Amino acid sequence: MAITAGLALLFAALLTRQAGVHAQSPAQNQLTVYSPRTSYSVPLLDMNGQPYAGLVELLEPLGSVDARIDGKKYKLHFTPPGGRPLELQFTGGKDKGKVRGNGYKLPANFVLQNGRGYVPLSVTSQIISRLLGSDIELHPAARRLFIGSVQLRYTLELHKDNPSRLLLGFPSPVNPTIATEPGRVRLTFRREPIVSSGPENVPYSDPLISGATFSEHDGLAELDVTGTAPLMANFADGGKTIIVTGAPAPPPVAQEAPPPPPAPANPQNPVPQPRQPATPRFLVLIDPAHGGSDIGAAITPSLPEKDVVLALARRVQHELANRGIAAGLLRNSDVAITLDQRATWTNAARPALYIALHAANTGQGVHVFTAMLPAANLSPQGFLPWDTAQAAFLDLSGSVAGSVAAELESRKLPNATLLAPLRPMNNIAAPAIAVEIAPPSGEVDEIASAAYQEQVAQSIAAGVAAVRAKLPEVRP
Amino acid sequence: MTRRVLVMFAALALIALGLTFYALHLKRKVARDEQLAAEQQRALAPLTNGPPTPVTLYIASDSDGTLRRTQVNVTLPPERTERDRAVLRALFGEYLQSSSSHPIGADADVRDVYLLGDDTAVVDTNAAFADAHPSGVLAEELTVASIVVTLNANDSKIERVKILVNGQERETLAGHADLRRFYEASNIGQVVKDLQ
């Protein structure tokens, strides 16, 4: 019985210690590791003036890991897939250890902290190389580590058409984050092992595209294409080619031709931001929430809110066009727009109605929101305070919300009309509603189904059309 | 092999088997105890000694988008801001239960409650509260509304509430609910009626 109790205590102690291992302080920066199987990030801690990486975090994605601590001694067994266990031994505060039974000297002392073992970043490549027997390439300043021949080298090809096009070629499909600003497109590669294939700075003597620059830092790679005019990036060849070219001159929103049929969310098709309309007319401005690095809610691990609402926005635009109502989108691609920008652009476009679209994986059905603001006796034509501009339009906003809810009800879609403390709705100087769609039933994936989105889009468009006469035309 | 050796082997095998089962049992027990301890810690032990006092909590439910009024017993400190904090920690404790109808970030907590004058409370939450909060207009609104009306229900002098994250003003809770503003309990009261 005494033996059993002893074993139990030992077992419990081990379990408790393992639990403690998973409760460390947050990382200060990260090392990105690219292997043939996966890409992952390892938190780096600054110790003794240099970055250190945790051995368990470094090796766990590459095989199974069993780490134990006995006093200051740290012993780790790493088993690569289909291989046999390999042992590493280090001692806290000492620079000597063993890797696979052979002596190994670290450039700085091994660190034991909170039950975890850390080695200097500079030796991570050697340790993995000794364990896996693969070629390892470490870019220490950029915090990037490549296992085997995983590097993807890109090609640049400038076509001097009208307008000029810069073709970025990749050996396999890529999916970078694309950010645009005047005269510049930036592609950020977080998970793809993109490396430079030649000079990092390539200048062009071209009237449109002036150069391309590769850089890597903080565990990611970036390609910056600069130009003399607004640029846009499109994907081609199944994601193996990105074409950077001049963005078309934006037509004023109010003069838009009827939109094409809705297509699935395509984050690689940037469209210019709306401009102030030249002539008065009835304009609905649709704001698909989030975009760029702001994904909104993760509806599923592979379905971000930003994509769901962009697809829905295109459907709403199409349904409004079917009813003879011009509508513009605040974003028609995967770009990040701040809340203040959304409000500023909307107010500059002077729409008859603003509709923000959101999606969530909690709850059920469709929620239609108006701003949660105290009623204020403000003239919509007068000077409006930024934080409460919407207060002057609450009655009209409520009418639209009620009309949309009635249309949802007529299509037997679960719905509710609520007030919400939602930005940037408070700052909108026009009638405004926000619509948040949740799955129609328990199946989260249904939120992206064409049939469901079509019903919601029809309800919104029909609801707007029903109260159109109450809403003001766009002010000149 | 003699019969005696065979019997000994059999006995040792039985003991080994028994120890394996016992070890597995202990492993599960330790995991269970740790989870329970974590939940209890989050659910907040009383901050002070004294008799438990009934407090009113407005608990959000994601499935039907409602707020439900309920009462729990919490030992409250005598100091007003500490009392308000204890009430909110009891509310967070409900949301941190594994069976919560409105789960929030695992380590969410209320760092402090400050009073500006007699009627305005500033609730300072930790980063985990906002960083790991489920994103969504309704989900975030339910959290904000439940904080404001719970405070008002237990400290009726509080008419306005501002929520900070780690001592700083934040634009939104998790991408939607506005955290730059002061919330009026009377405004939220209307929302709560809609949500009930």
Side-chain angles (χ1 to χ4, degrees):
Chain A
M1 194 62 199
I3 294 171
T4 311
L7 279 171
L9 280 173
L10 179 66
F11 200 78
L14 274 173
L15 285 173
T16 309
R17 191 170 57 183
Q18 281 206 335
V21 164
H22 293 288
Q24 69 143 14
S25 57
Q28 289 178 350
N29 49 38
Q30 293 186 330
L31 167 74
T32 303
V33 181
Y34 308 94
S35 81
R37 290 173 56 194
T38 183
S39 298
Y40 57 99
S41 297
V42 177
L44 295 176
L45 298 187
D46 188 29
M47 296 176 188
N48 309 321
Q50 61 175 306
Y52 272 69
L55 275 174
V56 171
E57 293 89 339
L58 185 67
L59 298 173
E60 212 158 33
L62 303 172
S64 67
V65 171
D66 178 27
R68 287 162 199 267
I69 299 177
D70 182 9
K72 285 192 167 183
K73 289 194 173 167
Y74 182 87
K75 198 180 279 190
L76 183 145
H77 286 100
F78 170 73
T79 312
R84 60 185 179 81
L86 309 168
E87 190 179 82
L88 291 91
Q89 282 185 48
F90 291 101
T91 305
K94 299 275 169 84
D95 60 359
K96 285 179 184 158
K98 282 185 178 178
V99 176
R100 300 184 67 176
N102 298 317
Y104 186 83
K105 191 171 186 309
L106 298 168
N109 287 342
F110 184 78
V111 172
L112 273 179
Q113 191 179 83
N114 298 329
R116 292 173 170 236
Y118 294 88
V119 294
L121 170 65
S122 58
V123 300
T124 51
S125 55
Q126 292 173 16
I127 289 177
I128 295 178
S129 176
R130 290 195 180 200
L131 293 174
L132 296 178
S134 309
D135 290 333
I136 311 291
E137 189 177 312
L138 173 66
H139 298 185
R143 311 279 201 252
R144 302 177 81 206
L145 188 148
F146 305 86
I147 299 174
S149 307
V150 294
Q151 294 90 335
L152 297 179
R153 297 180 197 282
Y154 61 89
T155 58
L156 296 172
E157 209 176 300
L158 182 65
H159 290 236
K160 297 200 172 187
D161 308 329
N162 187 19
S164 301
R165 295 177 303 141
L166 181 64
L167 270 58
L168 312 173
F170 301 88
S172 58
V174 293
N175 187 23
T177 303
I178 299 176
T180 56
E181 52 188 270
R184 188 178 183 186
V185 169
R186 175 181 290 171
L187 314 174
T188 304
F189 301 88
R190 293 176 194 282
R191 291 292 168 193
E192 295 95 337
I194 304 293
V195 293
S196 173
S197 50
E200 293 193 343
N201 194 355
V202 182
Y204 294 109
S205 54
D206 180 79
L208 176 63
I209 295 172
S210 49
T213 305
F214 174 83
S215 62
E216 52 176 2
H217 56 88
D218 300 324
L220 53 85
E222 282 182 351
L223 260 170
D224 263 323
V225 181
T226 50
T228 54
L231 300 175
M232 58 183 280
N234 286 314
F235 281 67
D237 193 19
K240 289 164 89 172
T241 302
I242 296 175
I243 303 168
V244 178
T245 187
V253 168
Q255 294 173 355
E256 271 190 3
N266 176 6
Q268 290 82 39
N269 190 20
V271 156
Q273 303 305 331
R275 301 278 174 88
Q276 185 172 338
T279 52
R281 62 178 293 183
F282 191 91
L283 170 72
V284 175
L285 206 47
I286 305 167
D287 180 5
H290 312 288
S293 58
D294 171 16
I295 67 161
I299 306 296
T300 69
S302 59
L303 183 62
E305 179 185 359
K306 64 176 183 177
D307 288 350
V308 174
V309 295
L310 182 54
L312 178 62
R314 290 172 177 153
R315 290 183 193 284
V316 174
Q317 185 185 34
H318 181 64
E319 289 299 330
L320 285 168
N322 285 347
R323 290 163 176 80
I325 297 174
L329 302 187
L330 264 186
R331 73 172 175 93
N332 197 6
S333 64
D334 188 20
V335 292
I337 311 174
T338 67
L339 297 172
D340 283 337
Q341 282 172 330
R342 288 173 198 268
T344 306
W345 292 346
T346 301
N347 292 340
R350 298 178 182 271
L353 176 65
Y354 165 88
I355 303 175
L357 297 177
H358 290 268
N361 58 4
T362 53
Q364 193 180 339
V366 184
H367 293 99
V368 186
F369 298 95
T370 52
M372 184 198 291
L373 286 172
N377 190 18
L378 296 169
S379 163
Q381 279 77 38
F383 182 80
L384 298 172
W386 176 257
D387 284 335
T388 55
Q390 179 56 203
F393 302 89
L394 286 178
D395 286 346
L396 286 174
S397 302
S399 296
V400 180
S403 178
V404 170
E407 291 293 333
L408 289 163
E409 194 66 38
S410 71
R411 289 169 176 77
K412 298 191 173 16
L413 291 170
N415 69 87
T417 309
L418 298 163
L419 304 176
L422 180 64
R423 290 204 65 220
M425 207 153 63
N426 291 355
N427 316 116
I428 302 295
I433 62 168
V435 177
E436 182 175 67
I437 60 168
S441 62
E443 296 298 324
V444 176
D445 287 339
E446 283 185 42
I447 200 169
S449 81
Y452 179 52
Q453 289 208 353
E454 198 56 48
Q455 275 195 306
V456 175
Q458 284 173 6
S459 304
I460 295 172
V464 172
V467 291
R468 176 178 176 162
K470 288 187 185 175
L471 299 172
E473 300 249 310
V474 178
R475 290 173 290 163
Chain B
M1 240 189 285
T2 65
R3 179 187 170 82
R4 190 175 167 182
V5 173
L6 277 174
V7 168
M8 214 161 78
F9 266 122
L12 283 172
L14 275 175
I15 290 170
L17 193 67
L19 281 175
T20 305
F21 279 118
Y22 190 53
L24 282 173
H25 164 74
L26 280 177
K27 186 181 173 184
R28 285 195 202 108
K29 186 173 184 303
V30 168
R32 243 187 349 255
D33 289 351
E34 279 178 351
Q35 190 185 354
L36 195 64
E39 282 183 1
Q40 279 172 346
Q41 193 181 355
R42 293 179 202 133
L44 305 193
L47 295 170
T48 185
N49 293 325
T53 309
V55 300
T56 303
L57 305 180
Y58 281 84
I59 308 282
S61 168
D62 289 334
S63 58
D64 51 5
T66 58
L67 284 177
R68 178 173 45 85
R69 189 172 181 276
T70 187
Q71 280 209 328
V72 297
N73 289 322
V74 178
T75 302
L76 296 175
E79 203 277 324
R80 188 177 166 201
T81 58
E82 282 300 319
R83 214 165 49 233
D84 292 337
R85 182 182 180 222
V87 168
L88 288 184
R89 295 187 92 192
L91 178 69
F92 277 33
E94 293 289 331
Y95 291 146
L96 291 168
Q97 301 289 342
S98 52
S99 58
S100 170
S101 56
H102 178 71
I104 61 175
D107 296 313
D109 199 1
V110 179
R111 287 168 23 126
D112 256 314
V113 175
Y114 306 98
L115 291 175
L116 300 178
D118 206 31
D119 64 348
T120 302
V122 178
V123 178
D124 185 14
T125 61
N126 66 353
F129 167 65
D131 292 345
H133 194 285
S135 181
V137 181
L138 187 61
E140 292 170 43
E141 179 177 15
L142 285 169
T143 299
V144 171
S146 77
I147 288 174
V148 176
V149 289
T150 295
L151 265 182
N152 178 255
N154 294 282
D155 185 343
S156 58
K157 287 182 181 169
I158 293 178
E159 288 295 335
R160 303 170 79 221
V161 177
K162 165 95 176 172
I163 299 173
L164 301 179
V165 178
N166 241 358
Q168 306 285 322
E169 186 178 72
R170 190 161 159 143
E171 193 165 44
T172 63
L173 175 50
H176 300 91
D178 188 359
L179 288 195
R180 298 194 317 180
R181 62 189 285 186
F182 282 82
Y183 283 97
E184 306 277 344
S186 53
N187 269 357
I188 293 278
Q190 179 56 46
V191 175
V192 171
K193 280 177 195 156
D194 292 341
L195 293 173
Q196 280 181 321

